[in-house]
Amino acid sequence: MTDSGAGEGRIVVGVSGSLGSLAALHHAVAEARRTDAEVLAVLCWTPPGDVFGYRRTPCPPVIDAGRDAAVARLRQALDEAFAGRHAGVRLRCQAVRGDTGHTLVRCADRPGDLLVLGAGRERGRLARLVHPSTTAYCVRHATCPVLAVPRPPLQRELEALERAHGLPREPVAENGS
């Protein structure tokens, strides 16, 4: 992203509510303050049962409930990130139906855009095969620069404690984390 003019460019950030996505959101807002860019916070969602399950049995109330839940989760993530205060930048938010990687790449399609997302946690080969990395997908397919923000130290410490004590892991939120 260039500093060629105030207000040019846009920072698209994937938000899921995870610690990694909140770190990415903070990084995006800091970059927006520096460059006077607009921030577009995007939470991607799919209907329960994913797209294929919905195609077999379409049910508009299920779509409405899924969208409402995504909007509520996005609002909660923004409240947690900024403690209910104004972020101090131009901030637009969208809950967008679609696969996370594909949807984020589609949203960050303008010249001058920057796509920011959480780098996510390290996973084994089998986990990557079953659920590929959103970050890797975005790096391969985006037409703009992609910034993967490392996991915050608190998240790494929590994961280390979970492994050390054999605690069940929190589900991986791939929406930009």
Side-chain angles (χ1 to χ4, degrees), residues 3-177:
D3 259 342
S4 60
E8 290 184 22
R10 185 177 62 154
I11 301 171
V12 178
V13 58
V15 178
S16 67
S18 70
L19 288 175
S21 77
L22 296 180
L25 181 58
H26 277 276
H27 194 90
V29 166
E31 181 67 12
R33 283 187 187 120
R34 190 180 72 73
T35 61
D36 193 31
E38 174 186 56
V39 175
L40 173 59
V42 177
L43 185 137
C44 304
W45 66 278
T46 55
D50 212 350
V51 175
F52 299 114
Y54 178 77
R55 283 185 185 159
R56 278 189 276 180
T57 317
C59 180
V62 171
I63 292 295
D64 293 341
R67 182 182 50 248
D68 293 347
V71 168
R73 194 167 79 197
L74 180 55
R75 284 185 181 140
Q76 180 181 0
L78 293 169
D79 284 346
E80 289 175 4
F82 303 116
R85 295 185 175 178
H86 178 62
V89 297
R90 290 173 290 139
L91 175 66
R92 287 189 314 124
C93 305
Q94 292 181 342
V96 181
R97 181 177 164 193
D99 172 69
T100 305
H102 179 75
T103 302
L104 289 172
V105 166
R106 199 176 67 230
C107 287
D109 63 348
R110 297 180 186 171
D113 278 356
L114 171 67
L115 177 56
V116 179
L117 29 102
R121 68 172 65 172
E122 297 173 15
R123 298 179 294 156
R125 178 178 285 161
L126 180 60
R128 286 191 311 267
L129 283 172
V130 172
H131 196 80
S133 166
T134 297
T135 304
Y137 179 90
C138 291
V139 167
R140 282 192 311 273
H141 294 93
T143 58
C144 67
V146 177
L147 176 63
V149 176
R151 293 172 302 151
L154 177 60
Q155 184 177 2
R156 289 193 298 267
E157 291 171 17
L158 287 172
E159 291 169 3
L161 283 171
E162 289 170 347
R163 282 191 304 275
H165 296 288
L167 298 173
R169 294 181 118 183
E170 182 181 320
V172 175
E174 277 297 315
N175 296 342
S177 65

